[in-house]
Amino acid sequence: MHNIVSLIQCKNYERQNVLRAVQESIEELGGIGDIIQKDTRVFLKLNLLRAARPEEAVTTHPSFVYALAKTLKDYGAKVVIGDSPNAGVPYRESALKQVYSKCGILDVANEIGAELNYDTSIVAVSYKDGKLIKQFNAMKPALDADVLISVAKGKTHGFTYITGAVKNMFGLIPGFEKAGYHAKLQSLDRFATMLVDICDCVKPQLAFLDAITCMEGDGPGSGDPKEVGVIIASRNPHAVDAVFCDVIGIDCRRLPTIQEAISRNLLNLDTVELHGVSLSEVKVTNFKMPKTVGAGDGLILSGVIQRMVKPLFKTAFSVKPVIVKKVCIGCGICEQGCPVNAITLVEGKAVIDYDKCIRCYCCHEFCPHRSIELRKSMLYKISSKVLQ
């Protein structure tokens, strides 16, 4: 079990700063000479949720990609950059071109001579050791590479609370197929088990987290940028996520993915070694979690009663996605990506059937126009205050 995590301060995306920090991260991990040699084909699996400008903090920043890709190329590696965006974006070349361009990744690849992945072929992966998932389809070019690296963006997430190095591997599931996992695995615990299955199967050899500017609040697509100023890296993606939780001030032991990793001996928090700066130097305060995190979730506050009662009252004790009609343009992305077909377009506006809605918040995640808000019921608001 790899237990070294590099925590390197990097306060902005000025290229030389990021390049220094990335190289220092690698040095603190003991170098990567045993992983990367000349002509090693490396796939950098980014978080490219959708076509978004770098300053929105939705995707892995192009300066971070530049620094890592350049460093690997200097080692002699052949670098391929790619992702399969969210389930509301078709996994085809035209859609990838739009995402790469708007996210600033196209310019980076052209500048340093890295290859952008446009190969949308998939491969069926068998994983007999999977606890929940024994077989799944994944991006073939990512798994065909000699080395797979998770290059995630540090963000909050309405369903899984955070998205980091481990959940980034869910992006290997092609396009619309992601929605099926939400439809079948509606509980957070089961979804988290699936995430750990996939990550443990594909086993990224390295994991980097762009936490220079993170997303707080209602992430992963509609939150607010938050300056954090660190790069986190390890050979253990679960350890990366645990340290990210420490940096933003939440209890990682409450995260279902971390709990699952610990139960499988994929992570031992007692043996994690921090190299680089101390946690006290970079820990941030008042990092906002999504509205979906209630007092009973225990990430920041405790609330045993709410945690027991909440599952019994889906409507009263849950946060629901709400269409902001004056903002909605009727693009249909939420309708296309909804895993349970709970959204339709009526007179050019999205409408949610709450009897069908499973509170996975995919629609909120996918919407490029911020026209879907997460709102607590009045009873939820009252209970959260009472049970704090």
Side-chain angles (χ1 to χ4, degrees), residues 227-239:
E227 302 302 323
V228 175
V230 295
I231 290 174
I232 307 172
S234 178
R235 295 192 182 189
N236 185 337
H238 306 285

Side-chain angles (χ1 to χ4, degrees), residues 17-76:
N17 285 344
V18 184
L19 186 61
R20 169 205 52 83
V22 165
Q23 292 174 346
E24 191 174 338
S25 294
I26 292 172
E27 290 171 6
E28 292 291 352
L29 296 179
I32 54 175
D34 58 336
I35 296 177
I36 307 297
Q37 286 102 33
K38 185 175 176 57
D39 296 330
T40 299
R41 189 170 178 83
V42 179
F43 193 97
L44 300 183
K45 197 286 176 191
L46 312 187
N47 182 333
L48 300 179
L49 176 68
R50 63 166 189 261
R53 300 185 310 275
E55 60 269 22
E56 295 179 71
V58 172
T59 58
T60 311
H61 197 280
S63 290
F64 192 90
V65 179
Y66 170 88
L68 183 55
K70 184 180 186 308
T71 299
L72 294 173
K73 281 180 67 67
D74 288 346
Y75 272 100

Side-chain angles (χ1 to χ4, degrees), residues 35-36 40-46 72 80 82 138-151 168-169 172 198-199 201-208 234-235 237:
I35 296 177
I36 307 297
T40 299
R41 189 170 178 83
V42 179
F43 193 97
L44 300 183
K45 197 286 176 191
L46 312 187
L72 294 173
V80 184
M139 300 170 58
K140 189 174 185 297
L143 299 191
D144 282 348
D146 301 314
V147 173
L148 174 63
I149 299 180
S150 177
V151 191
N168 191 39
M169 292 294 96
L172 294 173
I198 290 174
C199 188
C201 176
V202 301
K203 290 181 170 56
Q205 287 91 330
L206 285 169
F208 289 84
S234 178
R235 295 192 182 189

Side-chain angles (χ1 to χ4, degrees), residues 51-278:
R53 300 185 310 275
E55 60 269 22
E56 295 179 71
V58 172
T59 58
T60 311
H61 197 280
S63 290
F64 192 90
V65 179
Y66 170 88
L68 183 55
K70 184 180 186 308
T71 299
L72 294 173
K73 281 180 67 67
D74 288 346
Y75 272 100
K78 294 181 178 178
V79 177
V80 184
I81 300 169
D83 191 15
S84 169
N86 71 64
V89 178
Y91 187 46
R92 56 177 180 244
E93 184 174 342
S94 58
L96 290 175
K97 285 181 177 178
Q98 182 182 12
V99 171
Y100 292 151
S101 178
K102 189 162 186 178
C103 295
I105 307 302
L106 177 61
D107 291 340
V108 165
N110 289 338
E111 181 178 349
I112 63 176
E115 178 185 339
L116 281 177
N117 178 61
Y118 292 107
D119 179 357
T120 57
S121 59
I122 63 175
V123 61
V125 181
S126 294
Y127 185 48
K128 61 181 179 61
D129 294 328
K131 188 173 179 179
L132 190 63
I133 303 297
K134 303 293 184 180
Q135 184 169 322
F136 59 94
N137 290 332
M139 300 170 58
K140 189 174 185 297
L143 299 191
D144 282 348
D146 301 314
V147 173
L148 174 63
I149 299 180
S150 177
V151 191
K153 182 73 170 180
K155 300 187 291 182
T156 52
H157 194 284
F159 187 48
T160 60
Y161 304 148
I162 70 160
T163 174
V166 173
K167 189 177 183 300
N168 191 39
M169 292 294 96
F170 183 56
L172 294 173
I173 305 299
F176 297 143
E177 289 193 32
K178 295 182 183 71
Y181 288 82
H182 282 281
K184 294 176 182 178
L185 308 174
Q186 297 183 16
S187 76
L188 176 55
D189 287 341
R190 282 169 59 79
F191 196 83
T193 299
M194 174 273 297
L195 294 177
V196 175
D197 274 344
I198 290 174
C199 188
D200 191 38
C201 176
V202 301
K203 290 181 170 56
Q205 287 91 330
L206 285 169
F208 289 84
L209 188 71
D210 170 10
I212 300 171
T213 298
C214 296
M215 177 176 282
E216 66 175 357
D218 290 331
S222 298
D224 300 311
K226 173 75 170 181
E227 302 302 323
V228 175
V230 295
I231 290 174
I232 307 172
S234 178
R235 295 192 182 189
N236 185 337
H238 306 285
V240 168
D241 288 354
V243 172
F244 177 52
C245 289
D246 289 338
V247 169
I248 63 176
I250 65 174
D251 184 356
C252 72
R253 293 173 181 82
R254 298 286 186 172
L255 257 64
T257 48
I258 295 292
Q259 293 172 357
E260 186 65 26
I262 292 172
S263 73
R264 301 190 198 189
N265 295 318
L266 299 172
L267 174 67
N268 183 339
L269 295 174
D270 293 332
T271 63
V272 170
E273 295 181 23
L274 273 182
H275 289 203
V277 299
S278 66

Side-chain angles (χ1 to χ4, degrees), residues 310-326:
K310 203 164 83 171
L312 304 178
F313 299 94
K314 175 183 173 183
T315 301
F317 285 92
S318 72
V319 176
K320 68 179 183 180
V322 176
I323 306 297
V324 183
K325 290 189 175 182
K326 65 180 181 181

